[in-house]
Amino acid sequence: MVVKEIQLLKRESQLNKEEETFFAKKEKLEKRNDVLEKMKTVIKQKESKVSDETHEIERREKHLDKLQQIIDKHEKPVEDSLNELQIQKVKLNENDIRLGEREQNLQKRESELDKLFENLEQRDDLRKVKSRVEMKEVELNTGNFNLRGREKIGRASCRERV
C-alpha cells in the first residue's frame, strides 16, 4: 500500500505539474487569442478604411474619366481654333509686309510728288517772272514806263534826247 500511495503521490504530483503546465498553456493561448482578436479588429478596420479609400479612388477615377471626355470633346475645336489663329497670324504678317511695301512706295511717291510740286512752284515763279518780263517788254515797246516818278516818256522822245 505504501508503494501504491507513493505511486499515487507521484502520479498526483505529475498531474499537478501537468495541470500547471496546462493552465499556463491555456493562459498563453488566451492571451494569444486576445491578441489575435485585436489584430482581427485592426485588420477589419484597415480593410474598411481600404474599402472606403478604394471607393473614393473609383469615384475620382470616374470623375477624371468624365473630365477627360469633356476635354476630348473640346480639344478638337480648340486645336482647330488655334490652327485657324495661326493661319490668320501668317496672313496678318503677309499683310503687314505688303502694307510696309505699300508704305515705302507711298513715301517714294510722296517724295516724287514733293519734287514735282517744287518744280511746279519753280515753273510758276518762272512764269511770273516771264510774264513780268513780257509786261516790261510790252511797256518798253509801247512807251508806257515811269522813270522814278518822272513823267511818261515815249519811245520816240527817248530817242530824241539821245
Side-chain angles (χ1 to χ4, degrees):
M1 244 209 5
V2 174
V3 175
K4 277 191 176 185
E5 281 184 22
I6 292 176
Q7 282 179 347
L8 280 176
L9 282 173
K10 282 182 181 179
R11 179 80 178 138
E12 188 177 335
S13 160
Q14 188 182 0
L15 284 175
N16 283 339
K17 285 181 185 177
E18 285 179 5
E19 187 178 350
E20 285 177 18
T21 307
F22 173 77
F23 282 120
K25 285 183 180 179
K26 183 180 177 189
E27 259 185 60
K28 272 186 174 181
L29 286 174
E30 285 176 352
K31 285 181 184 177
R32 282 186 183 171
N33 196 21
D34 288 342
V35 168
L36 287 174
E37 287 297 322
K38 287 179 183 176
M39 288 176 79
K40 283 182 181 177
T41 304
V42 168
I43 288 172
K44 284 182 182 178
Q45 289 173 348
K46 287 186 178 184
E47 284 177 347
S48 174
K49 186 177 177 182
V50 167
S51 175
D52 291 344
E53 289 176 355
T54 303
H55 289 309
E56 181 65 19
I57 289 170
E58 288 173 353
R59 185 189 67 79
R60 286 183 178 182
E61 284 176 346
K62 286 180 183 177
H63 183 69
L64 286 175
D65 287 342
K66 288 180 183 177
L67 290 176
Q68 186 62 43
Q69 289 173 353
I70 291 170
I71 289 170
D72 291 342
K73 180 180 175 185
H74 294 287
E75 189 174 27
K76 175 89 170 119
V78 168
E79 285 179 6
D80 291 345
S81 296
L82 283 175
N83 291 338
E84 182 65 29
L85 287 174
Q86 288 175 344
I87 291 169
Q88 289 177 357
K89 182 180 177 183
V90 168
K91 287 180 181 178
L92 284 174
N93 287 339
E94 290 172 355
N95 287 341
D96 284 346
I97 292 169
R98 286 187 200 131
L99 285 175
E101 291 171 355
R102 285 182 181 174
E103 187 173 329
Q104 288 177 349
N105 289 339
L106 284 175
Q107 288 174 351
K108 287 179 185 176
R109 287 181 184 173
E110 188 176 284
S111 67
E112 289 172 2
L113 286 175
D114 286 343
K115 288 178 185 176
L116 288 174
F117 185 72
E118 287 175 13
N119 287 341
L120 283 175
E121 286 178 344
Q122 290 174 354
R123 284 183 185 174
D124 191 40
D125 290 345
L126 288 175
R127 283 187 192 136
K128 286 179 183 176
V129 168
K130 185 178 179 182
S131 70
R132 281 190 211 143
V133 167
E134 287 174 353
M135 286 179 69
K136 291 292 180 181
E137 283 179 355
V138 167
E139 285 179 4
L140 286 174
N141 288 336
T142 59
N144 295 327
F145 58 93
N146 189 355
L147 297 173
R148 295 185 191 167
R150 295 185 189 156
E151 64 184 49
K152 292 183 184 176
I153 301 171
R155 190 172 188 184
S157 60
C158 286
R159 286 184 193 159
E160 290 173 5
R161 284 189 183 177
V162 177

